[in-house]
Amino acid sequence: MAWTYILGCADGSFYVGSTVDLERRMGQHNDGTGAAYTRRRRPMVLWWCADFARVDEAFAFEKMVQGWNRRKRIALIEGRWEDLPALASRAWEHRDKR
C-alpha cells in the first residue's frame, strides 16, 4: 500500500507528498530528516491522506495535487469533492472573462 498526504506546516503552508510508510515519513518530517521544505516549517500536522494500491498511483496523485491552488487543496482536505472541478485554475480564469 502507498499513501498520498497533505501536511499543514507551522507557517500555514501545505506540503504534499507520497510514501509507502506514512507513520515513518511523518516522523522524518517532524524530526528534520524529511524534505528540505518541511525542515524549516516544523512542526507538521497531517491534514489529509489517502491510500492507494500501487506506489505509482500515489505518486501520480501527489504530482496532481502539487499543481493545485490552495483553495482546491482545502476542498480536498474538507472532503468537498464536488467543488474540485470549479476550483481548477482554468475554471477561475474562464469565469473572470464573463
Side-chain angles (χ1 to χ4, degrees):
M1 183 179 339
W3 298 88
T4 299
Y5 59 91
I6 299 176
L7 303 179
C9 302
D11 66 358
S13 65
F14 291 128
Y15 177 83
V16 181
S18 60
T19 186
V20 293
D21 187 339
L22 186 58
E23 188 174 331
R24 178 184 57 82
R25 191 63 176 144
M26 283 296 303
Q28 290 173 330
H29 284 301
N30 277 312
D31 72 13
T33 61
Y37 184 87
T38 60
R39 279 184 216 133
R40 300 182 311 272
R41 293 168 172 86
R42 292 181 284 156
M44 305 284 108
V45 176
L46 181 64
W47 283 55
W48 178 89
C49 64
D51 61 325
F52 293 84
R54 298 177 11 189
V55 172
D56 61 325
E57 293 170 337
F59 183 73
F61 198 77
E62 170 195 353
K63 293 303 168 190
M64 182 173 62
V65 174
Q66 284 176 343
W68 291 0
N69 61 45
R70 183 175 183 83
R71 287 177 298 216
K72 192 167 181 176
R73 289 179 187 183
I74 291 171
L76 176 65
I77 291 165
E78 293 175 349
R80 294 184 289 118
W81 293 93
E82 68 282 357
D83 293 346
L84 296 179
L87 292 170
S89 59
R90 289 189 179 133
W92 284 102
E93 288 172 11
H94 179 70
R95 191 173 298 149
D96 291 343
K97 291 180 181 177
R98 288 185 201 168

